[in-house]
């Protein structure tokens, strides 16, 4: 307890946490984590918690995993870091090869960075310059999705569509065009009408402006940060067709959905989508180190490939781009994907989870349960019949998550949507226990008043 109090005091004095209202955080006796073991986190007082959001959608094989630790130690005995600007290193080359092998066919070149947001910034800059190099500099505008999320840097927020994040920085952002992503639960009509309405708006936008548009950026199959909004089957296929028809680039942001989260290695595989640019991050290193990447087609790569004097060099890079420790642990992580047959494991466990999740509809304030693979969102509503939402000031999601924490499960809300993205390795038994806690927390908080 003394240790905890001392650290908390220093947190208050020195540390500003991300996405956190510090005043409330400090009042609520925050967790201070010291260790991790499998799918659990252990705080400085020795209390264990299920890591029900995979430490922000990152963790795959649990914490403190022997094979990943060893890969790091081995790399450390060689070198921790040297630059990728104008030279290369062993694990970065091998990881690039590996990524090209496992991603959709069209993307063939890998550009590394350190976070999902950076991977998106790079995608945007590449798309912008691609058209310039191809002699179509009038193509300058990005098309993106309402309620989309692509990270917190200024370019990524510009193509983002979550109003709470977007409006705060309004004047800082560049102009983009926005089209709707299907959200059938909140659409006044059938699912089919919802898709058709969204596609009609996309088609209209392209008819009007395709000659000014660089490309469309989209979260494939599931919009994550806006509330785990799962797109109906067939939507992405139609989006791809329209991008091809109107000659704009298709950029898919697989930062959240990639590496098995949705039950396929990449969400694009659900509908055999072939993007021009694909961004990855999050689970790439198994949740160990910050490595992200932007993959592009050969066609885009070759638009930049020229003699020095043509000035087509892609001027972008970061201090730690291609970091050896990060790339080495990513390679070990991808090896474990094969050894552990993790995709099959997720398909198994997520089917079972789907069965268990049906029980949640018995709760009087569960409006909709959305799931693709192990990406799960539970939308809480004040009134089931009318789908009347909770008010922001009721902070219903946060209250449910606070109760879950007391019961031993760490999860995070997105407003009134409770998100559940457990580590991919979680067993049925562990998932069952996590869901028990989640059920109890929702029941107590929403029905207990
Ligand atoms: C998390 C996320 C990002 C941002 O990644 P960071 O590593 O947090 O910068 C981008 N796109 C999507 C779809 C994400 O879920």
């Amino acid at each position: 307890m003394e240790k905890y109090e001392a650290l908390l005091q220093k947190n208050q004095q020195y540390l500003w946490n991300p996405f956190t209202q510090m005043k409330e955080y400090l009042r609520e006796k925050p967790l201070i984590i010291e260790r991790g073991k499998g799918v659990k986190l252990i705080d400085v007082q020795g209390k264990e918690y299920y890591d029900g959001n995979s430490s922000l959608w990152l963790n795959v094989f649990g914490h403190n995993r022997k094979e990943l630790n060893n890969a790091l130690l081995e790399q450390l005995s060689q070198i921790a870091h040297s630059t990728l600007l104008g030279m290369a290193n062993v694990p970065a080359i091998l990881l690039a090869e590996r990524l090209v092998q496992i991603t959709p066919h069209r993307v063939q070149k890998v550009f590394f960075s350190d976070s999902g947001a950076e991977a998106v910034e790079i995608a945007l800059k590449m798309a912008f310059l691609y058209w310039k190099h191809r002699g179509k500099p009038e193509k300058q505008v990005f098309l993106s999705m309402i309620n989309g999320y692509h990270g917190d840097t200024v370019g990524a927020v510009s193509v983002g569509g979550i109003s709470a994040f977007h409006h705060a920085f309004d004047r800082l952002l560049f102009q983009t065009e926005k089209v709707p992503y299907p959200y059938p639960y909140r659409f006044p009509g059938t699912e089919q009408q919802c898709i058709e309405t969204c596609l009609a708006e996309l088609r209209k936008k392209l008819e009007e402006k395709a000659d000014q548009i660089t490309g469309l950026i989209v979260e494939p199959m599931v919009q994550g940060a806006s509330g785990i909004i799962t797109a109906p089957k067939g939507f992405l296929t139609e989006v791809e067709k329209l991008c091809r028809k109107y000659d704009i680039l298709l950029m898919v942001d697989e930062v959240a959905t990639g590496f098995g989260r949705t039950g396929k290695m990449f969400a694009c595989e659900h509908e055999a989508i072939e993007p021009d640019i694909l961004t990855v991050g999050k689970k790439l290193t198994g949740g160990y180190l910050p490595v992200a990447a932007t993959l592009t087609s050969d066609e885009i790569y070759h638009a930049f490939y020229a003699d020095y004097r043509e000035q087509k060099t892609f001027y972008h890079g970061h201090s730690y781009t291609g970091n050896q420790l990060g790339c080495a642990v990513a390679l070990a992580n991808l090896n474990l994907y094969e050894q552990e047959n993790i995709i099959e494991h997720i398909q198994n466990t997520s089917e079972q989870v789907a069965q268990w999740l049906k029980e949640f509809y018995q709760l009087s304030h569960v409006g909709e349960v959305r799931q693709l693979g192990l990406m799960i969102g539970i939308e809480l509503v004040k009134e089931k019949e009318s789908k009347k939402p909770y008010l922001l000031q009721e902070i219903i999601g946060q209250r449910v998550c606070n109760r879950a924490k007391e019961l031993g499960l760490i999860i995070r809300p997105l407003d009134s949507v409770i998100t559940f993205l457990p580590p991919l390795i979680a067993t049925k038994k562990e998932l069952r226990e996590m869901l028990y806690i989640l059920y109890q927390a929702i029941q107590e908080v929403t029905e207990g008043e």
Side-chain angles (χ1 to χ4, degrees):
M1 198 66 190
E2 243 169 66
K3 182 176 175 187
Y4 176 77
E5 293 297 341
L7 283 165
L8 183 57
Q9 208 274 327
K10 288 183 189 188
N11 189 163
Q12 173 155 18
Q13 201 166 352
Y14 302 113
L15 180 62
W16 190 351
N17 303 56
F19 261 103
T20 303
Q21 176 44 261
M22 294 308 287
K23 187 173 175 187
E24 285 178 14
Y25 164 86
L26 291 164
R27 209 163 41 202
E28 279 167 10
K29 293 270 160 191
L31 280 185
I32 302 177
I33 299 299
E34 190 172 59
R35 287 181 296 132
K37 201 174 102 202
V39 297
K40 289 189 169 176
L41 295 169
I42 304 158
D43 74 4
V44 290
Q45 301 178 85
K47 186 164 182 214
E48 296 190 4
Y49 301 85
Y50 279 114
D51 189 0
N53 76 344
S54 303
S55 295
L56 221 64
W57 310 1
L58 311 178
N59 195 273
V60 180
F61 295 105
H63 296 280
N64 215 343
R65 176 86 191 204
K66 194 173 77 241
E67 291 90 335
L68 302 184
N69 295 2
N70 287 343
L72 275 172
L73 290 172
E74 201 173 301
Q75 180 58 46
L76 203 50
S77 72
Q78 301 289 318
I79 185 172
H81 181 77
S82 62
T83 184
L84 209 62
L85 275 62
M87 58 172 94
N89 70 59
V90 180
I93 291 173
L94 298 180
L95 180 58
E97 174 191 44
R98 217 29 201 285
L99 286 172
V100 168
Q101 285 167 349
I102 61 176
T103 45
H105 181 70
R106 190 191 294 256
V107 291
Q108 291 288 326
K109 294 286 186 289
V110 179
F111 196 102
F112 284 116
S113 56
D114 317 333
S115 69
E118 285 170 353
V120 168
E121 298 286 337
I122 290 163
L124 300 177
K125 282 179 160 184
M126 277 178 178
F128 180 82
L129 287 178
Y130 165 74
W131 290 112
K132 190 164 172 234
H133 294 337
R134 272 200 46 190
K136 290 193 176 173
E138 66 282 5
K139 277 168 104 61
Q140 290 187 359
V141 180
F142 289 96
L143 188 55
S144 61
M145 294 282 181
I146 293 167
N147 285 327
Y149 177 78
H150 302 286
D152 296 330
T153 52
V154 169
V157 176
S158 295
V159 290
I162 298 180
S163 59
F165 307 160
H166 202 85
H167 284 310
F169 300 105
D170 232 0
R171 299 284 298 277
L172 266 185
L173 309 175
F174 55 77
Q175 285 290 318
T176 60
E177 294 289 339
K178 298 259 190 305
V179 286
Y181 195 92
Y183 189 178
Y185 181 64
R186 293 277 172 208
F187 183 81
T190 65
E191 186 175 282
Q192 195 52 35
Q193 287 167 335
C194 178
I195 302 190
E196 277 163 20
T197 304
C198 291
L199 290 171
E201 292 212 27
L202 175 58
R203 200 172 296 115
K204 183 159 163 271
K205 192 70 84 182
L206 290 171
E207 268 164 21
E208 285 167 14
K209 301 205 163 147
D211 54 346
Q212 298 161 45
I213 291 173
T214 54
L216 168 71
I217 182 161
V218 59
E219 289 161 88
M221 302 308 290
V222 189
Q223 279 191 327
S226 58
I228 316 291
I229 298 169
T230 47
K233 260 202 198 96
F235 173 70
L236 203 57
T237 305
E238 294 304 316
V239 166
E240 181 183 37
K241 277 190 203 155
L242 287 171
C243 289
R244 298 293 163 236
K245 179 171 175 203
Y246 288 92
D247 196 23
I248 67 164
L249 297 175
L250 174 59
M251 299 178 267
V252 301
D253 183 355
E254 290 252 19
V255 171
T257 51
F259 303 109
R261 174 56 71 191
T262 68
K264 303 266 186 196
M265 195 60 170
F266 292 94
C268 281
E269 293 171 28
H270 287 282
E271 301 195 1
I273 304 300
E274 287 286 347
D276 301 288
I277 299 182
L278 182 148
T279 52
V280 294
K282 292 206 163 105
K283 288 181 299 310
L284 171 54
T285 61
Y288 265 58
L289 284 171
V291 178
T294 309
L295 283 84
T296 76
S297 65
D298 268 334
E299 192 184 327
I300 292 173
Y301 175 80
H302 281 287
F304 291 77
Y305 194 88
D307 291 329
Y308 191 66
R309 62 190 149 73
E310 286 183 63
Q311 300 203 326
K312 288 182 175 174
T313 308
F314 187 46
Y315 291 116
H316 189 108
H318 299 278
S319 311
Y320 283 96
T321 296
N323 174 260
Q324 279 102 319
L325 287 174
C327 291
V329 77
L331 279 165
N333 179 47
L334 294 176
N335 285 340
L336 276 181
Y337 269 75
E338 285 178 13
Q339 284 161 31
E340 300 268 336
N341 252 326
I342 192 78
I343 300 298
E344 206 177 299
H345 173 78
I346 300 159
Q347 286 167 354
N348 265 319
T349 53
S350 62
E351 254 173 53
Q352 176 67 71
V353 163
Q355 292 303 315
W356 289 330
L357 280 171
K358 286 185 188 154
E359 295 165 20
F360 282 65
Y361 279 109
Q362 291 163 12
L363 293 166
S364 50
H365 293 276
V366 167
E368 190 178 47
V369 179
R370 296 185 284 269
Q371 178 193 12
L372 192 64
L374 285 179
M375 197 164 184
I376 293 141
I378 299 170
E379 183 162 342
L380 304 177
V381 288
K382 197 140 178 141
E383 242 180 53
K384 243 184 196 180
E385 281 291 293
S386 63
K387 304 182 183 178
K388 186 177 160 195
Y390 279 98
L391 300 171
L392 209 62
Q393 56 266 35
E394 292 177 274
I395 46 168
I396 191 71
Q398 189 59 55
R399 281 161 53 214
V400 168
C401 293
N402 289 349
R403 180 65 187 136
K405 184 172 88 176
E406 287 169 4
L407 295 169
L409 171 69
I410 297 171
I411 40 172
R412 270 177 72 83
L414 294 163
D415 282 342
S416 53
V417 177
I418 308 297
T419 62
F420 180 53
L421 288 86
L424 302 184
I425 193 70
T427 62
K428 285 183 184 172
K429 182 165 171 286
E430 290 163 338
L431 290 164
R432 175 86 267 202
E433 282 174 26
M434 290 187 239
L435 286 172
Y436 266 134
I437 296 176
L438 188 52
Y439 189 95
Q440 188 184 341
I442 295 174
Q443 186 168 41
E444 284 183 18
V445 173
T446 61
E447 295 179 12
E449 46 210 330

